[in-house]
Amino acid sequence: MNEIPCASMLRLCHYFVSICSVHFVSMIAAESSFVFRNMAEASSDVMDWPKKDNRRFLHVVYRVGDLDRTIQFYTDCFGMKLLRKRDIPDEKYSNAFMGFGPETSNFVVELTYNYGVSSYDIGTGFGHFAISTQDVSKIVESVRAKGGNVTREPGPVKGGNSIIAFVKDPDGYTFELIQRGPTPEPLCQVMLRVGDLDRAIKFYEKALGMRLLRKIERPEYKYTIGMMGYAEEYESIVLELTYNYDVTEYTKGNAYAQIAIGTDDVYKSGEVVKIANQELGGKITREPGPVPGIGTKIVSFLDPDGWKTVLVDNKDFLKELE
């Protein structure tokens, strides 16, 4: 038998190694491409979830120093109704839910009284709530008669024709009164100040599936507003994000707490929020799951400016109202 020379054998081995290496690298590249493509598709599916979800503003939560006093004031001055009230002595707090319609369809306020705490710091970041009414002057006079603080008398908004006024409740929360025709949602705005409006808009679009309904530039007053929501501004509650020129940070205080929004799946919604947090800022403060002792599934998180939102399972929320 003829033997193959050593040099030829080495060249042959190198050839086969080269062929195998190229084939192996090609297999790895193909596999990696497949994996990354599937990851991208999965990420895309996750981020599409808010557009398919049934989202609705449920309530806004904030703390008050005298629950009965606030209930009386909102009833007499704003025309709200007490929808339900609960006392949790083990946790040393009480809640009252008030609004202009049932919680199954309307946005409401959740007032929280912590035993023995009579006052709170509202901070500089919280702006105001807004109520739509057909007669601003009537509410202003009611507020004045009940000892409330009228901080802006009724009159046209600067640069426009809409009649507005500003008043404060007994705890110092500001309410804007806006004169409009009949609306299914009189409690129509929550205004929060942000340090980067474009970033905040992107976050609420991505994390919560909201739409930018309107953007208002007011360079003469050095501020810009973004109106965010799930339906047209005159039909539903909107989140009013306000950017004051050159102001990037605000104090949160300990009075305003959070907004609650309904979702069909807190687990899917939580995944979306995590991706938005990674890209734009903020963090999950409570992982998706049931609340001990209640069973209602929620997920809570902070936006890039530190404002808290809680997503609540829609079916579980309705069970709470039964």
Side-chain angles (χ1 to χ4, degrees):
M1 179 184 295
N2 294 328
E3 294 185 355
I4 300 175
C6 289
S8 298
M9 179 65 77
L10 285 173
R11 283 197 297 271
L12 189 61
C13 288
H14 286 158
Y15 172 76
F16 280 113
V17 168
S18 176
I19 291 295
C20 291
S21 296
V22 170
H23 182 63
F24 178 73
V25 170
S26 298
M27 287 177 62
I28 293 297
E31 183 68 21
S32 297
S33 176
F34 175 77
V35 170
F36 286 126
R37 186 168 62 251
N38 282 353
M39 288 174 63
E41 289 174 356
S43 178
S44 177
D45 289 342
V46 168
M47 296 310 291
D48 283 342
W49 166 246
K51 300 174 186 177
K52 305 171 185 176
D53 197 11
N54 291 310
R55 299 283 172 95
R56 180 175 75 84
F57 287 100
L58 302 178
H59 49 255
V60 60
V61 185
Y62 53 102
R63 303 172 182 94
V64 298
D66 185 327
L67 192 58
D68 291 333
R69 177 186 65 183
T70 303
I71 291 171
Q72 193 67 50
F73 187 87
Y74 287 9
T75 301
D76 295 343
C77 298
F78 298 148
M80 291 188 192
K81 296 179 180 179
L82 176 61
L83 303 171
R84 59 187 171 115
K85 190 177 180 181
R86 64 187 180 189
D87 187 42
I88 316 293
D90 290 344
E91 301 293 333
K92 297 184 178 180
Y93 75 89
S94 300
N95 289 128
F97 294 80
M98 300 191 70
F100 295 98
E103 291 180 71
T104 52
S105 58
N106 286 72
F107 184 65
V108 307
V109 298
E110 178 182 339
L111 307 172
T112 298
Y113 169 69
N114 292 300
Y115 291 6
V117 183
S118 59
S119 63
Y120 293 93
D121 173 22
I122 292 178
T124 60
F126 172 78
H128 61 257
F129 307 113
I131 295 174
S132 174
T133 175
Q134 296 182 64
D135 192 340
V136 166
S137 296
K138 183 178 179 181
I139 293 184
V140 167
E141 290 310 311
S142 295
V143 169
R144 205 189 314 272
K146 297 297 179 180
N149 185 7
V150 179
T151 57
R152 186 198 191 277
E153 295 290 341
V157 66
K158 291 179 180 178
N161 298 316
S162 299
I163 304 299
I164 66 167
F166 282 92
V167 301
K168 287 189 177 182
D169 74 2
D171 289 278
Y173 292 101
T174 297
F175 282 78
E176 180 182 7
L177 307 174
I178 307 172
Q179 193 153 296
R180 292 177 179 169
T183 173
E185 192 63 273
L187 187 58
C188 59
Q189 291 177 8
V190 175
M191 192 275 259
L192 303 174
R193 298 182 178 95
V194 298
D196 183 330
L197 184 59
D198 290 335
R199 180 186 64 183
I201 289 171
K202 287 179 183 177
F203 181 84
Y204 283 94
E205 287 176 335
K206 287 194 171 187
L208 288 164
M210 293 186 191
R211 292 186 289 124
L212 177 62
L213 304 172
R214 189 161 58 115
K215 195 172 184 180
I216 306 165
E217 302 274 0
R218 288 286 186 267
E220 66 274 27
Y221 302 117
K222 297 184 178 181
Y223 72 83
T224 305
I225 292 172
M227 296 291 194
M228 308 291 298
Y230 296 109
E232 293 306 313
E233 193 176 338
Y234 295 93
E235 300 173 2
S236 180
I237 172 76
V238 299
L239 183 61
E240 179 181 335
L241 303 174
T242 298
Y243 169 68
N244 292 299
Y245 290 8
D246 301 323
V247 183
T248 58
E249 292 184 3
Y250 296 92
T251 60
K252 299 297 184 295
N254 60 358
Y256 174 86
Q258 64 209 31
I259 286 180
I261 296 174
T263 175
D264 283 344
D265 192 322
V266 298
Y267 299 99
K268 286 184 180 179
S269 295
E271 290 303 311
V272 174
V273 171
K274 286 179 182 178
I275 293 172
N277 281 153
Q278 289 171 0
E279 179 183 347
L280 298 163
K283 64 179 182 179
I284 295 284
T285 56
R286 186 188 186 95
E287 291 290 339
V291 176
I294 299 176
T296 298
K297 293 183 288 296
I298 69 168
V299 56
S300 65
F301 58 92
L302 302 180
D303 75 1
D305 289 279
W307 296 114
K308 186 178 179 181
T309 299
V310 177
L311 289 167
V312 183
D313 182 272
N314 284 321
K315 291 182 179 178
D316 290 348
F317 176 70
L318 291 177
K319 288 178 183 177
E320 280 190 35
L321 303 180
E322 292 176 354

